Coordinates of all heavy atoms in Angstrom, one line a residue:
M1 N 3.4 -19.9 5.2 CA 2.9 -18.8 5.9 C 1.7 -18.2 5.2 O 1.7 -18.0 4.0 CB 4.0 -17.7 6.0 CG 3.6 -16.5 6.8 SD 5.1 -15.5 7.1 CE 4.4 -13.9 6.6
Q2 N 0.7 -17.9 5.9 CA -0.5 -17.3 5.4 C -0.5 -15.8 5.5 O 0.2 -15.3 6.4 CB -1.7 -17.9 6.1 CG -1.9 -19.3 6.0 CD -3.1 -19.8 6.7 OE1 -3.7 -19.1 7.5 NE2 -3.6 -21.0 6.5
F3 N -1.3 -15.1 4.7 CA -1.4 -13.7 4.8 C -2.3 -13.5 6.1 O -3.4 -14.1 6.2 CB -2.1 -13.1 3.6 CG -1.3 -13.0 2.4 CD1 -1.5 -13.8 1.3 CD2 -0.2 -12.1 2.3 CE1 -0.7 -13.7 0.2 CE2 0.6 -12.0 1.2 CZ 0.3 -12.8 0.1
D4 N -1.8 -12.6 7.0 CA -2.7 -12.3 8.1 C -3.5 -11.0 7.7 O -3.3 -10.4 6.6 CB -1.9 -12.1 9.4 CG -0.9 -10.9 9.4 OD1 -1.1 -10.0 8.6 OD2 0.0 -10.9 10.2
Q5 N -4.4 -10.6 8.6 CA -5.2 -9.4 8.4 C -4.4 -8.2 8.1 O -4.8 -7.4 7.1 CB -6.2 -9.2 9.5 CG -7.2 -8.1 9.3 CD -8.1 -8.4 8.1 OE1 -8.5 -9.6 7.9 NE2 -8.5 -7.5 7.4
H6 N -3.4 -7.9 8.8 CA -2.5 -6.7 8.5 C -1.9 -6.8 7.2 O -1.9 -5.7 6.5 CB -1.4 -6.6 9.6 CG -2.0 -6.1 10.9 ND1 -1.2 -6.1 12.1 CD2 -3.2 -5.6 11.3 CE1 -1.9 -5.6 13.1 NE2 -3.1 -5.3 12.6
M7 N -1.4 -7.9 6.7 CA -0.8 -8.0 5.4 C -1.9 -7.8 4.3 O -1.6 -7.1 3.3 CB -0.2 -9.4 5.2 CG 1.0 -9.7 6.0 SD 1.4 -11.4 5.7 CE 2.8 -11.6 6.8
C8 N -3.1 -8.3 4.5 CA -4.1 -8.1 3.5 C -4.5 -6.6 3.4 O -4.7 -6.0 2.3 CB -5.4 -8.9 3.9 SG -5.2 -10.7 3.7
E9 N -4.6 -5.9 4.6 CA -4.8 -4.5 4.6 C -3.7 -3.7 3.9 O -4.0 -2.8 3.1 CB -5.0 -4.0 6.0 CG -6.2 -4.5 6.7 CD -6.2 -4.4 8.2 OE1 -5.2 -3.9 8.8 OE2 -7.2 -4.8 8.8
E10 N -2.5 -4.1 4.1 CA -1.4 -3.4 3.5 C -1.4 -3.7 2.0 O -1.2 -2.7 1.2 CB -0.1 -3.9 4.1 CG 0.1 -3.4 5.5 CD 1.2 -4.1 6.3 OE1 2.0 -4.9 5.7 OE2 1.2 -4.0 7.5
L11 N -1.7 -4.9 1.5 CA -1.7 -5.2 0.1 C -2.9 -4.4 -0.5 O -2.7 -3.8 -1.6 CB -2.0 -6.7 -0.1 CG -0.7 -7.6 0.0 CD1 -1.1 -9.0 0.0 CD2 0.2 -7.3 -1.2
D12 N -4.0 -4.3 0.1 CA -5.1 -3.5 -0.4 C -4.7 -2.1 -0.6 O -5.1 -1.5 -1.6 CB -6.4 -3.6 0.5 CG -7.1 -5.0 0.4 OD1 -6.9 -5.7 -0.6 OD2 -7.8 -5.3 1.4
L13 N -4.0 -1.5 0.4 CA -3.6 -0.1 0.2 C -2.6 0.0 -0.9 O -2.7 1.0 -1.7 CB -3.0 0.4 1.6 CG -2.6 1.8 1.6 CD1 -3.7 2.8 1.1 CD2 -2.1 2.2 3.0
I14 N -1.6 -0.9 -1.0 CA -0.6 -0.8 -2.1 C -1.3 -0.8 -3.4 O -1.0 -0.1 -4.3 CB 0.4 -2.0 -2.0 CG1 1.3 -1.8 -0.8 CG2 1.2 -2.1 -3.3 CD1 2.2 -3.0 -0.4
L15 N -2.4 -1.6 -3.5 CA -3.1 -1.7 -4.8 C -3.9 -0.5 -5.1 O -4.3 -0.2 -6.3 CB -4.0 -2.9 -4.8 CG -3.3 -4.3 -4.9 CD1 -4.3 -5.4 -4.6 CD2 -2.7 -4.4 -6.3
K16 N -4.1 0.4 -4.2 CA -4.8 1.7 -4.4 C -3.9 2.7 -5.0 O -4.4 3.7 -5.6 CB -5.4 2.2 -3.1 CG -6.5 1.3 -2.5 CD -7.1 2.0 -1.3 CE -8.1 1.1 -0.6 NZ -9.3 0.7 -1.3
F17 N -2.6 2.6 -4.9 CA -1.7 3.6 -5.5 C -1.8 3.6 -7.0 O -1.8 2.5 -7.6 CB -0.3 3.3 -5.1 CG 0.1 3.9 -3.7 CD1 -0.2 3.2 -2.6 CD2 0.7 5.1 -3.6 CE1 0.1 3.7 -1.3 CE2 1.0 5.6 -2.4 CZ 0.7 4.9 -1.2
P18 N -1.9 4.7 -7.6 CA -1.9 4.8 -9.1 C -0.6 4.3 -9.7 O 0.5 4.8 -9.2 CB -2.2 6.3 -9.4 CG -1.8 7.0 -8.2 CD -2.0 6.0 -7.0
M19 N -0.7 3.5 -10.7 CA 0.6 3.0 -11.3 C 0.8 3.6 -12.7 O 1.8 3.3 -13.3 CB 0.5 1.4 -11.4 CG 0.5 0.7 -10.1 SD 2.0 1.0 -9.1 CE 3.1 0.1 -10.1
D20 N -0.1 4.4 -13.1 CA 0.1 5.0 -14.5 C 1.0 6.2 -14.5 O 1.5 6.6 -15.6 CB -1.3 5.4 -15.0 CG -2.0 6.4 -14.2 OD1 -1.7 6.5 -13.0 OD2 -2.9 7.1 -14.7
S21 N 1.4 6.7 -13.3 CA 2.3 7.8 -13.3 C 3.0 7.8 -11.9 O 2.4 7.7 -10.9 CB 1.6 9.1 -13.5 OG 2.5 10.2 -13.2
L22 N 4.3 8.0 -11.9 CA 5.1 8.1 -10.7 C 4.9 9.4 -10.0 O 5.3 9.6 -8.9 CB 6.6 7.8 -11.0 CG 6.9 6.4 -11.5 CD1 8.5 6.4 -11.7 CD2 6.5 5.3 -10.6
M23 N 4.2 10.3 -10.7 CA 4.0 11.7 -10.2 C 2.7 11.7 -9.4 O 2.3 12.8 -8.9 CB 4.0 12.7 -11.3 CG 5.3 12.7 -12.1 SD 6.7 13.0 -11.1 CE 6.4 14.7 -10.6
R24 N 2.0 10.6 -9.3 CA 0.7 10.6 -8.5 C 0.9 9.6 -7.3 O 1.4 8.6 -7.4 CB -0.4 10.1 -9.4 CG -0.7 11.0 -10.6 CD -1.8 10.6 -11.5 NE -3.0 10.2 -10.7 CZ -3.8 9.3 -11.2 NH1 -3.6 8.6 -12.3 NH2 -4.9 9.0 -10.4
G25 N 0.4 10.1 -6.2 CA 0.4 9.3 -5.0 C -1.0 9.3 -4.4 O -2.0 9.5 -5.1
L26 N -1.1 9.1 -3.1 CA -2.4 9.2 -2.5 C -2.2 9.6 -1.0 O -1.1 9.6 -0.5 CB -3.1 7.8 -2.5 CG -2.6 6.6 -1.9 CD1 -3.0 6.5 -0.4 CD2 -3.2 5.4 -2.6
K27 N -3.3 10.1 -0.5 CA -3.3 10.6 0.9 C -4.4 9.8 1.7 O -5.5 9.7 1.2 CB -3.7 12.1 0.8 CG -4.1 12.7 2.1 CD -2.9 13.3 2.8 CE -3.4 14.1 4.0 NZ -2.4 14.1 5.0
V28 N -3.9 9.3 2.8 CA -4.9 8.6 3.7 C -5.2 9.6 4.8 O -4.3 10.0 5.6 CB -4.2 7.4 4.3 CG1 -5.2 6.7 5.3 CG2 -3.8 6.4 3.2
H29 N -6.4 10.1 4.8 CA -6.8 11.1 5.8 C -7.0 10.4 7.2 O -7.3 9.3 7.3 CB -8.1 11.8 5.4 CG -8.0 12.6 4.1 ND1 -7.6 13.9 4.2 CD2 -8.1 12.3 2.8 CE1 -7.5 14.4 2.9 NE2 -7.8 13.4 2.1
Q30 N -6.8 11.2 8.2 CA -6.9 10.7 9.6 C -8.3 10.2 10.0 O -8.4 9.4 10.9 CB -6.3 11.7 10.6 CG -4.8 11.9 10.5 CD -4.0 10.6 10.6 OE1 -4.2 9.8 11.6 NE2 -3.1 10.4 9.7
D31 N -9.3 10.7 9.2 CA -10.6 10.3 9.5 C -11.1 9.1 8.7 O -12.2 8.7 8.7 CB -11.6 11.4 9.4 CG -11.7 12.0 8.0 OD1 -10.8 11.7 7.2 OD2 -12.6 12.9 7.8
A32 N -10.1 8.5 7.9 CA -10.4 7.3 7.1 C -10.6 6.1 8.0 O -10.3 6.2 9.3 CB -9.2 7.1 6.1
D33 N -10.9 5.0 7.5 CA -11.1 3.8 8.2 C -9.8 3.5 9.1 O -8.7 3.6 8.5 CB -11.3 2.6 7.3 CG -11.5 1.3 7.9 OD1 -11.0 1.1 9.1 OD2 -12.1 0.4 7.3
P34 N -9.9 3.3 10.3 CA -8.7 3.1 11.2 C -7.8 2.0 10.7 O -6.6 2.2 10.8 CB -9.3 2.8 12.6 CG -10.6 3.4 12.6 CD -11.1 3.3 11.2
A35 N -8.3 1.0 10.1 CA -7.5 -0.1 9.6 C -6.6 0.4 8.4 O -5.4 0.1 8.3 CB -8.3 -1.3 9.1
L36 N -7.2 1.3 7.6 CA -6.4 1.9 6.5 C -5.3 2.9 7.0 O -4.2 2.8 6.5 CB -7.4 2.7 5.6 CG -6.9 3.2 4.3 CD1 -6.4 2.1 3.4 CD2 -8.0 4.0 3.6
V37 N -5.7 3.7 8.0 CA -4.7 4.6 8.6 C -3.5 3.8 9.2 O -2.3 4.1 9.0 CB -5.3 5.5 9.7 CG1 -4.3 6.3 10.4 CG2 -6.4 6.4 9.1
E38 N -3.8 2.7 9.9 CA -2.8 1.9 10.5 C -2.0 1.1 9.4 O -0.7 1.0 9.6 CB -3.4 0.9 11.5 CG -3.9 1.5 12.7 CD -2.9 2.3 13.5 OE1 -1.8 1.8 13.7 OE2 -3.2 3.4 13.9
A39 N -2.6 0.7 8.4 CA -1.9 0.1 7.3 C -0.9 1.0 6.7 O 0.3 0.7 6.4 CB -2.9 -0.5 6.2
A40 N -1.3 2.3 6.5 CA -0.4 3.3 5.9 C 0.8 3.5 6.9 O 2.0 3.6 6.4 CB -1.1 4.6 5.7
K41 N 0.6 3.5 8.2 CA 1.7 3.7 9.1 C 2.7 2.5 9.0 O 3.9 2.7 9.0 CB 1.1 3.8 10.5 CG 0.4 5.1 10.8 CD -0.1 5.2 12.2 CE -0.9 6.4 12.5 NZ -1.5 6.5 13.8
R42 N 2.1 1.3 8.9 CA 3.0 0.1 8.8 C 3.8 0.2 7.5 O 5.0 -0.2 7.5 CB 2.2 -1.1 8.9 CG 1.6 -1.4 10.3 CD 1.0 -2.8 10.5 NE 0.0 -3.1 9.5 CZ -1.3 -2.8 9.6 NH1 -1.8 -2.2 10.7 NH2 -2.2 -3.2 8.7
L43 N 3.2 0.5 6.4 CA 3.9 0.6 5.2 C 5.0 1.6 5.2 O 6.1 1.4 4.7 CB 2.9 0.9 4.0 CG 1.9 -0.2 3.6 CD1 1.0 0.2 2.5 CD2 2.7 -1.5 3.2
F44 N 4.7 2.8 5.9 CA 5.8 3.8 6.0 C 6.9 3.3 6.8 O 8.1 3.4 6.5 CB 5.2 5.0 6.7 CG 6.2 6.1 7.0 CD1 6.8 6.8 6.0 CD2 6.6 6.3 8.3 CE1 7.7 7.8 6.3 CE2 7.5 7.3 8.6 CZ 8.1 8.0 7.6
E45 N 6.6 2.6 7.9 CA 7.7 2.1 8.8 C 8.5 1.0 8.1 O 9.7 0.8 8.4 CB 7.0 1.5 10.1 CG 6.5 2.5 11.0 CD 5.6 1.9 12.1 OE1 5.4 0.7 12.2 OE2 5.1 2.8 12.9
K46 N 7.9 0.3 7.1 CA 8.6 -0.7 6.4 C 9.4 -0.1 5.2 O 10.1 -0.9 4.4 CB 7.7 -1.8 5.9 CG 7.1 -2.6 7.0 CD 6.0 -3.5 6.5 CE 5.4 -4.3 7.7 NZ 4.3 -5.1 7.2
G47 N 9.2 1.2 4.9 CA 9.9 1.8 3.8 C 9.3 1.6 2.5 O 9.9 1.7 1.4
I48 N 8.0 1.3 2.5 CA 7.2 1.0 1.2 C 6.6 2.3 0.7 O 6.4 2.4 -0.5 CB 6.2 -0.1 1.5 CG1 7.0 -1.4 1.9 CG2 5.3 -0.4 0.3 CD1 6.2 -2.5 2.4
I49 N 6.2 3.2 1.6 CA 5.7 4.5 1.1 C 6.5 5.6 1.8 O 7.2 5.3 2.8 CB 4.2 4.7 1.4 CG1 3.9 4.5 2.9 CG2 3.4 3.7 0.6 CD1 2.4 4.7 3.3
D50 N 6.5 6.8 1.3 CA 7.4 7.8 1.8 C 6.8 8.7 2.8 O 7.6 9.6 3.3 CB 8.1 8.6 0.6 CG 7.1 9.5 -0.1 OD1 5.9 9.4 0.1 OD2 7.6 10.3 -0.9
Q51 N 5.6 8.6 3.1 CA 4.9 9.5 4.1 C 4.1 8.6 5.0 O 3.5 7.6 4.5 CB 4.0 10.5 3.4 CG 4.8 11.5 2.6 CD 5.7 12.4 3.3 OE1 5.3 12.9 4.4 NE2 6.9 12.6 2.8
I52 N 3.9 8.9 6.2 CA 3.1 8.1 7.2 C 1.7 8.1 6.8 O 1.0 7.1 7.1 CB 3.3 8.7 8.6 CG1 2.9 7.6 9.6 CG2 2.6 9.9 8.8 CD1 3.4 7.8 11.0
D53 N 1.2 9.0 6.0 CA -0.2 9.1 5.6 C -0.4 8.9 4.0 O -1.3 9.3 3.4 CB -0.9 10.4 6.0 CG -0.2 11.6 5.4 OD1 0.9 11.5 4.7 OD2 -0.7 12.7 5.5
G54 N 0.6 8.2 3.5 CA 0.5 7.9 2.0 C 1.7 8.4 1.3 O 2.8 7.8 1.4
G55 N 1.4 9.4 0.5 CA 2.5 10.0 -0.3 C 2.7 9.2 -1.5 O 1.8 8.9 -2.3
Y56 N 4.0 8.8 -1.7 CA 4.4 8.1 -2.9 C 5.0 6.7 -2.5 O 5.5 6.6 -1.5 CB 5.4 8.8 -3.8 CG 4.9 10.2 -4.2 CD1 5.1 11.3 -3.5 CD2 4.1 10.3 -5.4 CE1 4.7 12.6 -4.0 CE2 3.7 11.5 -5.9 CZ 3.9 12.6 -5.1 OH 3.4 13.8 -5.6
L57 N 4.9 5.8 -3.5 CA 5.6 4.5 -3.3 C 7.1 4.7 -3.4 O 7.5 5.5 -4.3 CB 5.1 3.5 -4.3 CG 3.7 3.0 -4.2 CD1 3.3 2.3 -5.5 CD2 3.5 2.1 -3.0
T58 N 7.8 4.1 -2.6 CA 9.3 4.1 -2.7 C 9.7 3.1 -3.8 O 8.8 2.4 -4.4 CB 10.0 3.7 -1.4 OG1 9.6 2.3 -1.1 CG2 9.6 4.6 -0.2
D59 N 10.9 3.0 -4.1 CA 11.4 2.0 -5.1 C 10.9 0.6 -4.7 O 10.4 -0.2 -5.5 CB 12.9 2.0 -5.3 CG 13.4 3.2 -6.0 OD1 12.6 3.9 -6.7 OD2 14.6 3.5 -5.9
L60 N 11.0 0.3 -3.4 CA 10.5 -1.0 -2.9 C 9.0 -1.1 -3.1 O 8.5 -2.1 -3.5 CB 10.9 -1.2 -1.4 CG 10.3 -2.4 -0.7 CD1 10.8 -3.7 -1.4 CD2 10.7 -2.4 0.8
G61 N 8.3 0.0 -2.8 CA 6.9 0.0 -2.9 C 6.5 -0.2 -4.4 O 5.5 -0.9 -4.6
L62 N 7.2 0.4 -5.3 CA 6.8 0.2 -6.7 C 7.0 -1.3 -7.1 O 6.1 -1.8 -7.8 CB 7.7 1.1 -7.6 CG 7.4 2.6 -7.6 CD1 8.5 3.3 -8.2 CD2 6.1 2.8 -8.2
D63 N 8.1 -1.9 -6.7 CA 8.3 -3.3 -7.0 C 7.2 -4.2 -6.4 O 6.6 -5.0 -7.1 CB 9.6 -3.8 -6.4 CG 10.8 -3.3 -7.2 OD1 10.7 -2.9 -8.4 OD2 11.9 -3.3 -6.6
L64 N 6.8 -3.9 -5.2 CA 5.7 -4.6 -4.5 C 4.4 -4.4 -5.2 O 3.6 -5.4 -5.3 CB 5.7 -4.3 -3.0 CG 6.9 -4.7 -2.2 CD1 6.7 -4.1 -0.8 CD2 7.0 -6.2 -2.1
A65 N 4.1 -3.2 -5.6 CA 2.9 -2.9 -6.3 C 2.8 -3.7 -7.6 O 1.7 -4.2 -7.9 CB 2.7 -1.4 -6.5
E66 N 3.8 -3.8 -8.3 CA 3.8 -4.5 -9.6 C 3.5 -6.0 -9.3 O 2.7 -6.6 -10.0 CB 5.1 -4.4 -10.3 CG 5.3 -3.0 -10.9 CD 6.7 -2.8 -11.5 OE1 7.5 -3.7 -11.5 OE2 7.0 -1.6 -11.9
H67 N 4.2 -6.5 -8.3 CA 3.9 -7.9 -7.9 C 2.5 -8.1 -7.4 O 1.9 -9.2 -7.7 CB 5.0 -8.4 -6.8 CG 6.3 -8.6 -7.4 ND1 6.7 -9.5 -8.3 CD2 7.5 -7.9 -7.1 CE1 8.0 -9.4 -8.6 NE2 8.5 -8.4 -7.9
A68 N 2.0 -7.2 -6.6 CA 0.7 -7.3 -6.1 C -0.3 -7.3 -7.2 O -1.3 -8.0 -7.2 CB 0.4 -6.2 -5.1
Q69 N -0.1 -6.4 -8.2 CA -1.0 -6.4 -9.3 C -1.0 -7.7 -10.1 O -2.1 -8.2 -10.5 CB -0.7 -5.2 -10.3 CG -1.1 -3.9 -9.7 CD -0.8 -2.7 -10.6 OE1 0.0 -2.8 -11.5 NE2 -1.5 -1.7 -10.5
T70 N 0.2 -8.3 -10.3 CA 0.3 -9.6 -10.9 C -0.4 -10.6 -10.2 O -1.2 -11.5 -10.7 CB 1.8 -10.0 -11.1 OG1 2.4 -8.9 -11.9 CG2 1.9 -11.3 -11.8
L71 N -0.3 -10.7 -8.9 CA -0.9 -11.6 -8.0 C -2.4 -11.5 -8.1 O -3.2 -12.4 -8.2 CB -0.4 -11.5 -6.6 CG -1.0 -12.4 -5.5 CD1 -0.6 -13.9 -5.9 CD2 -0.5 -12.1 -4.2
Q72 N -2.9 -10.2 -8.0 CA -4.3 -10.0 -8.0 C -4.9 -10.4 -9.4 O -6.0 -11.0 -9.4 CB -4.6 -8.5 -7.8 CG -6.1 -8.1 -7.8 CD -6.3 -6.6 -7.8 OE1 -5.6 -5.9 -8.4 NE2 -7.3 -6.2 -7.0
S73 N -4.2 -10.1 -10.4 CA -4.7 -10.5 -11.8 C -4.8 -12.0 -11.9 O -5.7 -12.5 -12.5 CB -3.7 -9.9 -12.8 OG -4.1 -10.3 -14.1
A74 N -3.7 -12.7 -11.5 CA -3.7 -14.1 -11.6 C -4.8 -14.8 -10.8 O -5.4 -15.8 -11.2 CB -2.3 -14.7 -11.2
L75 N -5.0 -14.3 -9.6 CA -6.0 -14.9 -8.7 C -7.5 -14.5 -9.1 O -8.4 -15.2 -8.8 CB -5.8 -14.5 -7.3 CG -4.5 -15.0 -6.7 CD1 -4.3 -14.5 -5.2 CD2 -4.5 -16.5 -6.7
S76 N -7.6 -13.4 -9.9 CA -8.9 -13.0 -10.3 C -9.4 -13.7 -11.6 O -10.6 -13.7 -11.9 CB -8.9 -11.5 -10.6 OG -8.7 -10.8 -9.4
A77 N -8.4 -14.3 -12.3 CA -8.7 -15.0 -13.6 C -9.6 -16.2 -13.4 O -9.6 -16.9 -12.4 CB -7.4 -15.4 -14.3

C-alpha cells in the first residue's frame, strides 16, 4: 500500500507537533491552508489529536509522531 495524498498531509501535520514537551501543542487556524485544516480534522477523527483544530497529540499520536520522526530521519539520510 502506498501513502496517498491525505496520509502525506496527515504525516506532515504530525511532524509539526513539538516533541520536546508534552505541554506544547499546536493550533490550526481556520484560515490556514485548507488541506492542513482537513488533515487536522481527519487526525482528530482518528483519535490522534485531541482537538479538531490541533491541540495536543493523544497517546496514539505521540507513538505515531515518534515513528514518523524515525521514518523521516531514515529517509533523509
